[in-house]
Amino acid sequence: MTDDIYVTRPHLPPLEEFKDLLGKIWDRGVLTNCGPYHEELEASLCSYLNVPHISLFNNGTVALIVALRALGIKGEVITTPYSFVATTHAILWMGCTPVFVDVDPVSLNLDPARIEAAITENTAAILPVHCYGHPADVDAIDAIGLKHRIPVIYDAAHAFGVECHCGSVLTHGDLSVLSFHATKVFNTFEGGAIVCRTPEQKRYIDQLKNFGHDGETSVIETGINGKMSEINAAFGLLQLKYVDEAIGRRAAIDKRYRAELAGLPGVQCLTDTGQSRQNHSYFPIRIGDAFPMNRDDLFHYMKERGVHPRRYFYPLISNFSMYRSLPSSDPAGLPNAVAAAEEILCLPIYPDLDDASVTRIVAMLHEAATKGT
Ligand SMILES: *Cc1c(COP(=O)(O)O)cnc(C)c1O
């Protein structure tokens, strides 16, 4: 029997190299509270990502919550229903009200025209996602934010290392939030970060993630504990050494999928929109009417044969019980997101996915294409 293939597998550096870094942590006895590896990782990431300031976090969700808090967001937050549930949970956790707006049918990112149409006097922020690492329409969204004086926070959990026409996509908006969860392109087991524009923003966010401490005896805010530990930071430094190689391997898999699925009726590979450097974090395909089975049947067909794609993002966030009763959750107002949630399947893609596995996945899709249901 061949082994099961899952949608992703974390990329791990050589264990021996991690042991060396662990040795230093043991020698120093500094385990957390912005220790030397934490500081080194912040500096290395600023330079790798070409961004001015980064504040590391223990995960992306706490980073999203602190980003909303740092900008004092209260009221309605315009966001996408087509994302991982943490995007909207952060809004609700802050006591704000999510307002779902439909996505563009091609990019599956928030449609700027619909954002603008949804703005009311209660709109406090816009929280778009760079879905699958494909940049949102940052110029249009930033312009809307400026025009209406509404802060823009990008959920950039999928967009590590992604560049658009003007450099890192992470420099757009007021803040951008990264996730370094095990399933992401760059991981620290668990982790995250806020990309800040100014030193003042970073200083305030650093205080918020450290209980609101402003020096040894002074607490200026009801902060939280969002700090990244030395173990996670050390692992991140090691990952960073190998991340270009990892993205390169993802790119090769992406290229094979595109070449070998081209012309398969009813299977459409999503095109990347506007970035000059991609990270190939996901490989979404869209199953159309010309395919002999629908997306869910194909999903089960593949699982029964040992390949486990994922239906990112199904169900829509707006369908979950805590969001369903919001006026903006009405599926009638979200036709493009509803269609994407029913038609998109994310194929396995990760650096250690070998050529034979890609061959097997492609052959399975070609074989499914010959079957009726
Ligand atoms: C992974 C993810 C998050 C949450 O990040 P964690 O580090 O797991 O807390 C938030 N938003 C999106 C879009 C994600 O994919």
Side-chain angles (χ1 to χ4, degrees):
M1 256 322 272
T2 35
D3 288 342
D4 280 21
I5 304 172
Y6 293 90
V7 73
T8 194
R9 257 183 92 128
H11 188 57
L12 292 168
L15 183 57
E16 282 309 313
E17 292 188 32
F18 190 45
K19 285 183 183 160
D20 290 346
L21 300 187
L22 287 179
K24 287 230 180 62
I25 295 178
W26 258 246
D27 291 345
R28 286 198 283 248
V30 178
L31 309 189
T32 186
N33 288 2
C34 308
Y37 282 142
H38 179 280
E39 301 302 287
E40 193 182 336
L41 184 59
E42 282 192 349
S44 302
L45 283 173
C46 280
S47 130
Y48 179 84
L49 297 170
N50 199 13
V51 296
H53 308 281
I54 279 189
S55 181
L56 293 174
F57 275 79
N58 50 3
N59 63 62
T61 304
V62 168
L64 273 172
I65 290 168
V66 170
L68 288 162
R69 171 70 192 246
L71 299 180
I73 307 302
K74 289 192 181 76
E76 294 179 357
V77 179
I78 293 176
T79 192
T80 170
Y82 194 73
S83 179
F84 180 60
V85 71
T87 309
T88 316
H89 274 359
I91 296 169
L92 207 58
W93 197 266
M94 278 303 297
C96 297
T97 307
V99 174
F100 295 110
V101 161
D102 203 10
V103 295
D104 176 89
V106 176
S107 72
L108 304 184
N109 281 316
L110 277 183
D111 176 349
R114 289 172 200 261
I115 294 177
E116 192 148 30
I119 290 175
T120 70
E121 58 185 15
N122 299 322
T123 307
I126 305 169
L127 181 54
V129 177
H130 301 300
C131 190
Y132 305 131
H134 301 169
D137 191 345
V138 285
D139 289 333
I141 295 172
D142 287 0
I144 291 168
L146 279 176
K147 179 174 153 195
H148 296 272
R149 297 172 190 276
I150 298 169
V152 179
I153 299 171
Y154 288 99
D155 179 340
H158 301 173
F160 184 88
V162 171
E163 291 174 8
C164 58
H165 59 289
C166 54
S168 172
V169 78
L170 304 172
T171 56
H172 285 275
D174 293 83
L175 298 169
S176 287
V177 177
L178 289 162
S179 165
F180 305 148
H181 182 256
T183 54
K184 307 299 204 273
V185 163
F186 170 84
N187 89 78
T188 58
F189 282 52
E190 292 270 4
I194 301 180
V195 177
C196 319
R197 298 178 79 93
T198 66
E200 293 75 27
Q201 270 182 336
K202 172 167 162 58
R203 191 173 133 74
Y204 186 46
I205 286 167
D206 283 347
Q207 287 166 348
L208 283 175
K209 79 174 178 194
N210 187 28
F211 310 100
H213 273 301
D214 173 29
E216 209 177 298
T217 54
S218 158
V219 172
I220 54 154
E221 272 282 354
T222 39
I224 196 159
N225 184 357
K227 300 186 303 300
M228 178 184 279
S229 85
E230 284 292 277
I231 286 208
N232 301 96
F235 187 78
L237 283 165
L238 205 48
Q239 286 288 75
L240 201 53
K241 257 177 70 180
Y242 295 100
V243 75
D244 283 337
E245 201 179 307
I247 292 174
R249 177 63 196 149
R250 286 174 176 275
I253 295 166
D254 182 303
K255 202 170 158 197
R256 269 199 69 192
Y257 274 142
R258 282 180 200 280
E260 295 171 33
L261 296 175
L264 192 60
V267 172
Q268 188 202 335
C269 300
L270 254 66
T271 43
D272 314 306
T273 46
Q275 66 271 57
S276 53
R277 183 180 191 251
Q278 307 169 24
N279 67 8
H280 310 280
S281 45
Y282 299 86
F283 197 85
I285 58 172
R286 192 158 191 149
I287 308 304
D289 290 340
F291 203 77
M293 46 181 108
N294 66 28
R295 189 275 316 266
D296 285 344
D297 291 339
L298 177 61
F299 171 73
H300 294 297
Y301 177 94
M302 294 180 80
K303 281 180 86 72
E304 280 159 18
R305 288 159 182 77
V307 174
H308 303 265
R310 290 293 296 267
R311 292 172 290 185
Y312 298 137
F313 290 97
Y314 165 84
L316 291 179
I317 301 175
S318 47
N319 273 344
F320 292 123
S321 59
M322 63 293 283
Y323 301 113
R324 203 177 292 153
S325 59
L326 291 169
S328 64
S329 293
D330 183 350
L334 306 167
N336 298 328
V338 168
E342 284 170 5
E343 293 169 13
I344 299 277
L345 196 59
C346 285
L347 299 182
I349 188 164
Y350 51 90
D352 300 322
L353 185 67
D354 59 19
D355 288 335
S357 297
V358 177
T359 303
R360 182 175 152 207
I361 295 162
V362 168
M364 195 174 285
L365 286 162
H366 278 271
E367 186 195 85
T370 66
K371 302 261 154 58
T373 38

